[in-house]
Amino acid sequence: MAVSSYARAFPSFECRSEPDFSGSLPHTNAGVRANTGSSRSQVNGLSSLIFRFPPNFVRQLSIKARRNCSNIGVAQVVAASWSNNNHGVNEFDSSASAAVTSIGITTAGDEDEVAVVENVDCNDKNVQSKGVKYASFLNSDGSVAIHGGERLGRGIVTDAITTPVVNTSAYFFNKTSDLIDFKEKRRASFEYGRYGNPTTVVLEEKISALEGAESTLIMASGMCASTVMFLALVPAGGHIVTTTDCYRKTRIFIETILPKMGITATVIDPADIGALALALNQKKVDLFFTESPTNPFLRCVDIELVSELCHEKGALVCIDGTFATPLNQKALALGADLVLHSATKFLGGHNDVLAGCISGPQELVSVIRNLHHILGGALNPNAAYLIIRGMKTLHLRVQQQNSTALRMAEILEAHPKVKHVYYPGLPSHPEYHIAKKQMTGFGGVVSFEVDGDLLTTAKFVDALRIPYIAPSFGGCESIVDQPAIMSYWDLSQSDRAKYGIMDNLVRFSFGVEDFEDVKADVLQALEAI
């Protein structure tokens, strides 16, 4: 009976494993959804038909029919966002269009308007790059973190609220002509799992929407994103400028791997604009790369100023914004060419996944993407799903972590058993004026020096009850580590000191626990030493 009633409701329904697309692959400027006033939707480097099933459609299907004709199967093909070419919007061919009309499926249409956010002051609550397009019903980064790439338009067709995980290593073509059309950019599809996946594309679109970027590339780790970026953008024999304070593995790559390709580096203090200007004048600099805030001393770079100086000399600027998150700082809006994140940290937010991403103009990201396709390092779609899920609470987590970190930094700075606190939200921080200008929040990580030696500091760490002793940061759970032991134990004390890593240094990543609980725990641990 269920089948016959379904047949009456949809007499022309035909289960299709893949709809026919024709036309060329898209290339769009930054945006979440471009409303053309037609039945097509176009999404920030991702363009495809977004099918909407009629009310009660799924409930009118039998269980067997749902299994055989899943929504993903109806229209799994999405536009290849990694296309390097500027082409028009995809078109449905007439036969596919007729099939869609016959079953009552409608595509995203005129109800989604576009609001362009331009020239927003960096101290506003939500800072977006010039030209970023938001759906008019979203007014905050928190909402974009939830709906970007999904409710705002996703290539995976499903009536599920959550984005499905597409577990496949390859994609098939019905006939050779379809494959040729794909190769010649007339057909939107995927080919091989290393080159793209519908689930990971949703994640890339979400990050692009939040960063105000034309394109985002997601990879297997933050270090993967950093190293592929260096290899793709810096030519053999090239020169880079970087800063003294940075993640150790990044420093090792710059010091030991890049020289094998004749790539040299100038290392400057994050605040030394004069040293940057001198390097730009004396050498042909290809890239300025730094974290901001940096690891572990949370130094800040004046992104707007260094971008102006570098661009005058033809150098690219890439900012690792992992500590800031896209909510606290918009590096692209400040003038940087690229922004990089270890998505393992705040973006994922649950200490359960490894990933890295890099966002910026399509032209630059495509160069990195092409090398990434050769080197591998693809993100598993299950990991992409976890980050998509994690980002839905990003704004809530970051608000709590910003608040706890600032309040704890103030408490620690006033405590007699703490010698020094490093946090950009404190007036005592050397780049406080920069952080206040270009950040809307100061992050969830505080570094500080205990008044004591290696063993005294270890005693403090061991006395803590809430945080885990572990590397990494940015998750829901608080994490603490003593860098001299966690990251630099293979070096002598004197060698550690060359990098500013003293035995009494502590890096504390505040999670989303209740502030009073965290405060009580830190204070009792300080009393224990």
Side-chain angles (χ1 to χ4, degrees):
M1 183 175 294
V3 174
S4 61
S5 63
Y6 164 72
R8 288 194 300 272
F10 301 101
S12 302
F13 180 82
E14 177 184 358
C15 179
R16 300 173 59 88
S17 61
E18 181 181 279
D20 293 330
F21 285 82
S22 61
S24 53
L25 291 180
H27 173 85
T28 67
N29 292 326
V32 177
R33 173 174 290 173
N35 179 18
T36 62
S38 69
S39 61
R40 295 181 294 273
S41 82
Q42 184 171 327
V43 185
N44 188 21
L46 174 68
S47 180
S48 66
L49 288 169
I50 308 300
F51 297 161
R52 291 178 180 165
F53 289 91
N56 302 322
F57 174 78
V58 173
R59 279 176 289 188
Q60 292 172 3
L61 288 176
S62 66
I63 297 298
K64 182 176 180 181
R66 268 187 261 174
R67 288 173 179 168
N68 292 338
C69 304
S70 69
N71 294 341
I72 296 176
V74 173
Q76 180 170 300
V77 177
V78 298
S81 65
W82 41 263
S83 171
N84 297 335
N85 299 301
N86 188 353
H87 295 289
V89 180
N90 291 313
E91 301 274 0
F92 239 154
D93 66 21
S94 58
S95 61
S97 180
V100 170
T101 303
S102 69
I103 62 172
I105 297 176
T106 60
T107 56
D110 299 337
E111 71 278 10
D112 297 316
E113 299 177 354
V114 171
V116 180
V117 181
E118 296 185 356
N119 301 322
V120 184
D121 189 273
C122 292
N123 291 317
D124 286 351
K125 181 180 179 182
N126 300 292
V127 183
Q128 302 303 330
S129 296
K130 182 177 181 180
V132 173
K133 298 175 182 177
Y134 271 14
S136 59
F137 58 90
L138 297 185
N139 297 310
S140 72
D141 282 346
S143 299
V144 173
I146 295 170
H147 295 297
E150 296 184 281
R151 192 179 186 93
L152 301 187
R154 61 181 163 199
I156 301 177
V157 177
T158 173
D159 50 4
I161 292 175
T162 56
T163 293
V165 180
V166 181
N167 278 317
T168 186
S169 60
Y171 306 84
F172 70 89
F173 296 85
N174 285 328
K175 50 187 181 295
T176 301
S177 61
D178 291 345
L179 174 59
I180 294 173
D181 284 344
F182 168 73
K183 292 292 186 180
E184 295 184 356
K185 311 299 183 186
R186 294 188 299 272
R187 179 186 179 85
S189 184
F190 291 93
E191 178 183 6
Y192 186 57
R194 195 171 78 247
Y195 307 149
N197 176 281
T199 307
T200 59
V201 165
V202 168
L203 174 57
E204 290 174 344
E205 295 299 318
K206 185 180 290 291
I207 296 171
S208 289
L210 200 55
E211 283 287 9
E214 284 186 330
S215 181
T216 292
L217 171 62
I218 191 79
M219 288 180 261
S221 70
M223 273 306 299
C224 182
S226 298
T227 56
V228 175
M229 183 273 299
F230 280 123
L231 295 175
L233 298 183
V234 184
H239 190 80
I240 67 173
V241 177
T242 188
T243 55
T244 50
D245 191 32
C246 69
Y247 177 52
R248 189 185 177 196
K249 291 300 189 294
T250 304
R251 179 187 296 117
I252 290 173
F253 184 80
I254 292 171
E255 292 176 348
T256 64
I257 306 300
L258 291 183
K260 295 180 180 179
M261 289 162 279
I263 297 173
T264 54
T266 296
V267 183
I268 65 173
D269 184 270
D272 196 344
I273 296 298
L276 173 59
L278 183 63
L280 290 168
N281 288 328
Q282 290 183 343
K283 300 178 182 294
K284 173 64 175 70
V285 176
D286 299 287
L287 175 72
F288 174 76
F289 173 79
T290 185
E291 301 158 5
S292 188
T294 61
N295 183 18
F297 294 108
L298 305 166
R299 301 290 302 278
C300 296
V301 171
D302 189 329
I303 299 173
E304 186 174 11
L305 180 56
V306 300
S307 297
E308 290 177 1
L309 293 174
C310 289
H311 292 161
E312 287 176 1
K313 298 294 184 178
L316 296 172
V317 175
C318 179
I319 300 296
D320 183 332
T322 301
F323 276 85
T325 78
L327 298 184
N328 287 330
Q329 178 177 278
K330 302 287 188 186
L332 299 180
L334 292 164
D337 300 289
L338 296 165
V339 60
L340 183 148
H341 293 277
S342 171
T344 307
K345 311 304 192 297
F346 288 99
L347 295 185
H350 290 76
N351 292 315
D352 59 2
V353 64
L354 293 175
C357 63
I358 190 159
S359 303
Q362 177 99 6
E363 181 180 6
L364 281 178
V365 175
S366 292
V367 174
I368 304 168
R369 194 184 299 273
N370 288 339
L371 181 60
H372 165 63
H373 289 167
I374 296 171
L375 296 179
L379 186 70
N380 185 282
N382 295 278
Y385 172 86
L386 289 175
I387 301 171
I388 291 170
R389 184 182 66 174
M391 288 185 66
K392 293 179 188 295
T393 59
L394 178 63
H395 64 299
L396 301 174
R397 292 185 283 105
V398 169
Q399 284 175 3
Q400 176 75 1
Q401 289 163 312
N402 284 346
S403 174
T404 298
L406 178 58
R407 296 166 72 183
M408 285 306 307
E410 293 169 344
I411 291 170
L412 289 166
E413 190 171 49
H415 200 283
K417 292 186 179 181
V418 175
K419 291 181 65 175
H420 192 81
V421 178
Y422 304 91
Y423 187 68
L426 295 177
S428 59
H429 190 276
E431 285 84 50
Y432 170 70
H433 63 291
I434 295 175
K436 189 176 180 180
K437 177 182 71 171
Q438 69 186 22
M439 300 180 74
T440 55
F442 303 110
V445 179
V446 178
S447 295
F448 56 95
E449 294 173 356
V450 172
D451 188 9
D453 58 11
L454 182 79
L455 294 180
T456 301
T457 306
K459 184 178 180 181
F460 161 74
V461 170
D462 289 345
L464 291 164
R465 299 165 181 167
I466 290 178
Y468 292 92
I469 302 173
S472 197
F473 57 90
C476 291
E477 300 87 357
S478 289
I479 285 179
V480 66
D481 78 86
Q482 194 173 349
I485 299 175
M486 182 66 72
S487 303
Y488 290 85
W489 191 241
D490 58 312
L491 299 182
S492 66
Q493 186 181 46
S494 60
D495 286 340
R496 293 197 295 265
K498 293 177 183 177
Y499 298 108
I501 306 299
M502 309 306 292
D503 289 346
N504 62 344
L505 180 66
V506 174
R507 190 184 72 175
F508 203 120
S509 171
F510 292 97
V512 297
E513 300 94 347
D514 181 79
F515 168 75
E516 293 298 333
D517 287 340
V518 174
K519 173 185 173 182
D521 190 34
V522 172
L523 292 179
Q524 67 82 23
L526 286 171
E527 291 302 315
I529 60 176

